[in-house]
Amino acid sequence: MNDGNELLYPREQFYARERRSVPAARRFAAQSLRCWGLADWARAADMSLCVSELATNALLHGVPPGRGFLLRLRYDGEVLRMEVHDSGPGAPTPTERPEDTDEGGRGLLLIGALADKWGVCERELGKVVWAEFVTDALADVQLV
């Protein structure tokens, strides 16, 4: 098989509805970046934070007892896409302006600020919340 084609295949992992799934998902994402040669990518920490936020949201709002969530990562050489599939109802919406004393409500705001694109799609049971990061070196160049 051509190694270049390997980039088109997603990496995915299923996680149970438990707290330790969030750090496990971050480790899986870091391992995926290493496999794709992106371990030193400038946006790796942003991607990791978004994985944490999406996994946490799935656990808190999208995974009924006895179920879990799927983290799927795909890299095509230019765009890294993360998806969290859960079986919960409804679509997440960012809180417009959480109060300073609120303990939550900032996750989707962070994802919106860090990712190049994000969104939600329905699936037969539940939803998929996704985020994309452009990895092309030219995208990181700031025009002055």
Side-chain angles (χ1 to χ4, degrees):
M1 176 179 265
N2 181 344
D3 287 338
N5 291 337
E6 195 67 29
L7 298 174
L8 300 175
Y9 292 99
R11 293 177 51 90
E12 58 185 41
Q13 181 71 45
F14 184 81
Y15 296 95
R17 185 179 188 248
E18 52 193 28
R19 287 183 182 186
R20 65 182 177 180
S21 292
V22 175
R26 279 195 310 270
R27 287 190 300 274
F28 175 75
Q31 177 191 34
S32 298
L33 290 180
R34 283 192 299 277
C35 287
W36 292 324
L38 296 172
D40 296 326
W41 176 42
R43 298 180 74 190
D46 293 346
M47 192 277 277
S48 179
L49 178 58
C50 288
V51 166
S52 286
E53 291 298 334
L54 291 181
T56 299
N57 282 351
L59 289 178
L60 293 176
H61 309 292
V63 180
R67 299 216 175 144
F69 69 92
L70 176 75
L71 171 61
R72 177 177 291 152
L73 302 172
R74 189 184 75 206
Y75 175 55
D76 66 6
E78 294 179 6
V79 175
L80 187 141
R81 180 180 174 101
M82 68 179 67
E83 301 175 351
V84 172
H85 300 237
D86 69 46
S87 54
T93 55
T95 304
E96 286 196 27
R97 188 176 178 113
E99 296 295 323
D100 289 341
T101 56
D102 290 346
E103 291 184 17
R106 292 169 182 80
L108 293 176
L109 292 173
L110 286 170
I111 291 166
L114 297 174
D116 294 308
K117 292 187 211 175
W118 78 277
V120 181
C121 6
E122 292 181 19
R123 58 181 214 148
E124 189 172 324
L125 178 62
K127 64 193 160 300
V128 178
V129 184
W130 57 270
E132 291 182 345
F133 293 83
V134 174
T135 61
D136 186 315
L138 294 176
D140 293 331
V141 175
Q142 299 281 331
L143 297 177
V144 186

